[in-house]
Amino acid sequence: MSDLSSLGDLRGKRVLVRSDLNVPLDGPDDHRVITDDGRIRASVPTIRALAEAGARVVVTAHLGRPKGSPDPAYSLRPVADRLGELLGAPVAFAADTVGDSAQETVAGLGDGQVALLENVRFNAGETSKDEAERGAFADQLAALADAFVSDGFGVVHRKQASVYDVAQRLPHVMGGLVAQEIEVLRRLTVDPERPYVVVLGGSKVSDKLGVIDNLLGKADKLLIGGGMVFTFLKAQGHEVGKSLLEEDQLDVCRSYLARAEESGVEIVLPTDIVVDTAFPSGDAEPHPQVVPATAIPSDALGLDIGPESGAAFAAALQGARTVFWNGPMGVFEVAAFAEGTRAVAQALTEIDGLSVVGGGDSAAAVRALGFDEAAFGHISTGGGASLEYLEGKELPGITVLED
């Protein structure tokens, strides 16, 4: 795994860069508006470095989950415009992934110029489980370039054509963004500075099983909020009303609580919860009510950790030297249920050490709640990839670069 310099003189070379430009869009298909450009901004340094080195930069990326064929709702065209604004130079846009438009667009690039190919998932070969189909698409992508730079951390846990197979077909290196992400995650897993506190939220326990399993042997404290907390509360015998619940994970949660006690890891659960009688939707006015975590009414559902819990979580984070946070504490998109997430984010900005926001909804929450990104040690661009790394899983998009 080398840096860009190992590719040699890049002037005139076509360099295919796999970036992660999977940003949220809003509005009608013919006028999609980017609502959070964090991933685009994170991708700029590597693209700019290549352009400044005289490369002809061909960026490939996905957006959303189209079904392997073109869908205007998932077009990267608005992303090309925003990328051009951030680079301060126009970005040519190819209307397909490897077809006539892609070939003509790449052929038209001069040294230091940048092009973005249309959503790579518009081609079924990108995500195919059939190695031959995926390989055939990778051959077409590789034909557009002389070298490959893997810089989309949010997809390195996927064995996909533009992430994995292309690297087998071209001289390849890891981009700066991916290198930085791996270095930060290594600091979370190899001899982390202590005290080491992990904050987990989000909706489902099942999404975090591997992480909890692995970190129970590494962290000093585990703070649990979000929708996943109700399965833990139910596992302790408490009523959770209409709150999100994974009945099939109750025994697993009990075993984690027991293991934590045996190994001296402190699991901190909320003591109060903000509830409502329905999930917030449309123009319906929310009616938040704070109740004890042990006494959630049967007709209510939990939508955030309460103020007492927010303060307790912040206190538990004080003095930590290493913190990893993945998953909001509640439905942060609605002001009435955002305060728990805000309390955790605020506490992370005050950490004297390494504070890592683990991508996905956590990163979106930090930006939506108006925090200065520079106040955090690191905001990851890949929620799923971060979690799989912390589980101890192999990331195909990383291992393929290690030759």
Side-chain angles (χ1 to χ4, degrees), residues 231-240 250 254 294:
T231 306
F232 278 91
L233 291 172
K234 184 77 170 178
Q236 291 181 320
H238 304 303
E239 169 65 55
V240 297
L250 290 171
R254 289 187 193 104
T294 55

Side-chain angles (χ1 to χ4, degrees), residues 36-60:
D36 179 356
D37 68 355
R39 282 179 167 152
I40 307 175
R41 286 184 285 113
S43 300
V44 164
T46 294
I47 295 168
R48 178 175 282 133
L50 289 164
E52 288 176 351
R56 300 176 180 196
V57 187
V58 183
V59 182
T60 186

Side-chain angles (χ1 to χ4, degrees), residues 121-306:
R121 288 188 182 170
F122 284 0
N123 189 304
E126 167 68 359
T127 56
S128 177
K129 296 287 187 279
D130 183 292
E131 296 215 359
E133 185 181 10
R134 220 175 51 236
F137 180 48
D139 287 340
Q140 292 177 291
L141 280 171
L144 297 172
D146 305 303
F148 174 66
V149 175
S150 177
D151 205 43
F153 180 70
V155 287
V156 292
H157 58 313
R158 307 285 189 202
K159 196 172 185 179
Q160 296 179 345
S162 68
V163 178
Y164 179 83
D165 303 84
V166 164
Q168 297 177 313
R169 288 158 168 78
L170 290 170
H172 53 261
V173 297
M174 183 183 284
L177 172 62
V178 169
Q180 181 190 26
E181 295 269 16
I182 294 296
E183 169 58 22
V184 167
L185 289 170
R186 191 192 61 76
R187 289 174 62 189
L188 292 175
T189 50
V190 180
D191 197 22
E193 264 200 90
R194 298 189 179 282
Y196 178 16
V197 184
V198 174
V199 188
L200 295 177
S203 55
K204 294 181 177 178
V205 177
S206 52
D207 291 343
K208 307 283 195 309
L209 289 177
V211 178
I212 297 171
D213 203 46
N214 208 20
L215 293 179
L216 272 177
K218 293 187 171 74
D220 298 301
K221 289 181 189 173
L222 207 52
L223 316 184
I224 296 176
M228 63 186 288
V229 80
F230 302 107
T231 306
F232 278 91
L233 291 172
K234 184 77 170 178
Q236 291 181 320
H238 304 303
E239 169 65 55
V240 297
K242 297 189 295 183
S243 306
L244 192 64
L245 177 65
E246 290 181 278
E247 295 269 6
D248 59 339
Q249 303 298 336
L250 290 171
D251 286 343
V252 177
C253 288
R254 289 187 193 104
S255 74
Y256 286 155
L257 291 165
R259 260 179 64 194
E261 196 167 346
E262 287 163 18
S263 56
V265 175
E266 185 183 353
I267 289 187
V268 182
L269 297 175
T271 53
D272 59 346
I273 297 289
V274 184
V275 301
D276 202 339
T277 51
F279 195 86
S281 64
D283 298 327
E285 192 71 29
H287 294 97
Q289 182 187 353
V290 179
V291 299
T294 55
I296 296 172
S298 59
D299 66 341
L301 69 160
L303 296 167
D304 192 15
I305 63 172

Side-chain angles (χ1 to χ4, degrees), residues 40 44 47-48 51-52 55 57 59 79-93 109-116:
I40 307 175
V44 164
I47 295 168
R48 178 175 282 133
E52 288 176 351
V57 187
V59 182
V79 174
D81 295 339
R82 181 63 183 137
L83 181 59
E85 289 171 4
L86 291 166
L87 288 168
V91 169
F93 182 68
L109 288 176
D111 295 0
Q113 293 185 328
V114 179
L116 175 62

